[in-house]
């Protein structure tokens, strides 16, 4: 569907009263929603907004999704102020209601739209290029965690049930494998075998969550590094975005996805697997940044499981990419043939490197914990 067919003018007017769409462009590199940067002109000048079409195949209940987002964005706005070194740079993501006072708009074709403030002078990156970026990105997700601490996880909806549930994902993967609807499994034999070799990691991690009584918190659940906005001039963290999967979960899911996307200097779909490995310096900065605002309330058990969390989440993500490949690329946006298979291969290469470096990561975590500030 082209942008013109979607009639962005009509959609924007549901949210903004006076003026006209001056320009618009597709925005960002997310795999899930369709995002547009819209410039809207009115008597007061030109203002920019972010308009998103929520992917209803993935989020069938926008009402529940937006309830979660509004709850959390309010908490972020209220609680952000007292933290040292954060309040001046932080620009909270704000949901712009429709003129009727709703949090999202359903058009005549049943498509769901929402609008956010545009966080100007910001950028997001798919892979980190410096230790200071690693620290900033992790710090922002730590701040996020600190701000939502006080909220009751039971007051949020599960926007995607079983999102990081490895047993559920594995079960689905096995069913798809059996059917092989697109006859693609022959080309992914090596990767499929690897999952069966690694099945034990899933079981072990899940058992540890249970036996260690790791607390359920409100978590972001999609802490990939491009879901933090950094300031163009200073590279400081500006905001945490992409709140669609904010729901009850474990802090280890968030730290794990940070490791997956932030400790590797290559893209998540890097075809040259020699470039996919865990950079220990980046890992260290992720631990330090995340702990800067969470050390005071995360349990020692949670922190001791940090080095396992990256492996667990990266393996789940590898399996989700492969499952989608086998199902015919129905979930993730793909940009070339076999893209999901390439993503899976890169993620498995990272799992391999994380396994090889397990002991180093444990040492780094212990030492970063003992020296981390406690804000
Ligand atoms: P997806 O769920 O598809 O990943 P995101 O909400 O992460 O969608 O948005 C995609 C990209 O758009 C982000 O990575 C970021 O670059 C940009 N973006 C999203 N919201 C904003 C905003 N409010 N201000 C500035 N940039 C934004
Ligand atoms: C999707 O929305 P985006 O692009 O930030 C996905 C995440 C995956 C990620 C892999 C709702 O995140 O779970 O980790 O792609 N989001 C959803 O890049 O499935
Ligand atoms: Mg995103």
């Amino acid at each position: 569907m082209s942008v013109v067919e979607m009639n962005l003018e009509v959609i924007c007017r549901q949210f903004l009263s006076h003026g006209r769409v001056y320009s618009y462009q597709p925005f960002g590199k997310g795999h899930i929603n369709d995002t547009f940067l819209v410039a809207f002109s009115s008597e007061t000048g030109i203002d920019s907004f972010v308009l998103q079409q929520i992917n209803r195949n993935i989020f069938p209940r926008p009402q529940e999704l937006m309830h979660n987002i509004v709850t959390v964005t309010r908490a972020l706005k209220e609680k952000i102020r007292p933290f040292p070194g954060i309040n001046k740079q932080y620009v909270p993501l704000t949901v712009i209601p429709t003129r009727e006072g709703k949090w999202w708009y359903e058009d005549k074709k049943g498509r769901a739209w929402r609008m956010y403030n545009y966080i100007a002078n910001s950028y997001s990156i798919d892979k980190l290029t410096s230790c200071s970026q690693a620290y900033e990105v992790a710090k922002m997700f730590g701040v996020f965690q600190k701000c939502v601490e006080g909220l009751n996880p039971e007051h949020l909806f599960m926007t995607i049930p079983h999102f990081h549930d490895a047993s559920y994902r594995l079960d689905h993967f096995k069913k798809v494998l059996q059917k092989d609807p697109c006859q693609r499994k022959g080309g992914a034999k090596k990767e499929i075998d690897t999952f069966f070799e690694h099945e034990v990691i899933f079981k072990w991690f899940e058992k540890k969550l249970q036996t260690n009584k790791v607390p359920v918190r409100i978590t972001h659940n999609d802490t990939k590094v491009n879901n933090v906005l950094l300031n163009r001039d200073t590279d400081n963290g500006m905001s945490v975005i992409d709140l669609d999967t904010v729901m009850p979960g474990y802090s280890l899911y968030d730290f794990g996805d940070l490791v997956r996307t932030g400790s590797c200097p290559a893209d998540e779909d890097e075809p040259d697997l020699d470039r996919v490995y865990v950079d220990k310096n980046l890992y260290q900065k992720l631990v330090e940044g995340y702990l800067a605002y969470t050390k005071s309330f995360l349990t020692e058990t949670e922190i001791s499981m940090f080095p396992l969390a990256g492996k667990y989440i990266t393996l789940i993500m590898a399996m989700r990419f492969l499952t989608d490949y086998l199902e015919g690329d129905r979930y993730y946006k793909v940009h070339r043939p076999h893209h999901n298979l390439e993503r899976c291969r890169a993620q498995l290469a990272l799992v391999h490197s994380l396994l090889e470096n397990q002991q180093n990561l444990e040492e780094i975590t212990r030492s970063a914990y003992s020296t981390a500030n406690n804000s």
Side-chain angles (χ1 to χ4, degrees), residues 30-31 222 224 226-227 241-242:
H31 294 336
D222 190 2
K224 85 184 195 189
N226 72 9
N227 287 328
I241 58 165
D242 204 347

Side-chain angles (χ1 to χ4, degrees), residues 4-217:
V4 176
E5 278 173 273
M6 289 193 215
N7 205 343
L8 291 192
E9 179 89 40
V10 171
I11 293 155
C12 285
R13 276 163 186 270
Q14 305 302 318
F15 298 90
L16 305 165
S17 42
H18 306 291
R20 296 194 67 79
V21 170
Y22 177 76
S23 67
Y24 54 79
Q25 63 190 76
F27 198 47
K29 288 213 225 147
H31 294 336
I32 305 294
N33 298 308
D34 288 324
T35 306
F36 301 94
L37 176 59
V38 178
F40 203 75
S41 105
S42 67
E43 307 95 64
T44 52
I46 295 178
D47 290 310
S48 295
F49 300 91
V50 169
L51 180 72
Q52 275 187 328
Q53 185 186 170
I54 302 167
N55 186 331
R56 279 193 105 155
N57 295 327
I58 295 174
F59 300 106
R61 286 181 293 280
Q63 189 61 31
E64 296 183 1
L65 175 79
M66 293 312 291
H67 162 87
N68 286 4
I69 293 181
V70 169
T71 306
V72 163
T73 48
R74 278 183 181 152
L76 288 169
K77 255 190 228 166
E78 276 165 28
K79 306 230 172 112
I80 206 80
R81 284 188 194 84
F83 305 146
I86 288 287
N87 51 331
K88 287 204 186 81
Q89 311 138 25
Y90 196 89
V91 180
L93 190 67
T94 305
V95 181
I96 297 179
T98 68
R99 287 157 70 185
E100 291 178 355
K102 298 192 175 134
W103 296 118
W104 62 288
Y105 165 67
E106 183 168 31
D107 71 16
K108 288 196 182 111
K109 296 200 166 142
R111 292 173 303 212
W113 299 88
R114 68 173 163 223
M115 191 173 264
Y116 287 123
N117 58 327
Y118 167 61
I119 298 172
N121 203 31
S122 69
Y123 70 98
S124 68
I125 31 170
D126 298 328
K127 56 179 182 236
L128 302 177
T129 53
S130 71
C131 282
S132 58
Q133 281 174 341
Y135 184 87
E136 280 301 308
V137 167
K139 182 186 83 178
M140 294 307 280
F141 282 120
V143 166
F144 170 89
Q145 193 60 55
K146 187 170 175 93
C147 288
V148 298
E149 271 312 292
L151 297 179
N152 185 346
E154 287 176 12
H155 293 171
L156 293 196
F157 294 98
M158 280 291 186
T159 54
I160 305 184
H162 304 292
F163 194 53
H164 291 312
D165 175 345
S167 305
Y168 173 85
R169 296 278 182 194
L170 194 60
D171 209 41
H172 180 62
F173 171 65
K174 286 179 183 168
K175 284 183 190 143
V176 173
L177 208 53
Q178 216 168 23
K179 282 199 190 137
D180 193 18
C182 303
Q183 301 185 338
R184 283 180 157 181
K185 79 173 175 192
K189 190 171 173 328
K190 195 167 152 223
E191 290 73 25
I192 294 165
D193 289 345
T194 309
F195 285 114
F196 290 115
E197 278 161 32
H198 287 338
E199 210 174 324
V200 59
I201 297 178
F202 287 147
K203 300 233 160 78
W204 197 62
F205 189 82
E206 289 191 327
K207 195 164 161 223
K208 265 188 140 333
L209 287 175
Q210 299 307 321
T211 49
N212 289 340
K213 298 197 172 60
V214 174
V216 172
R217 304 178 186 278

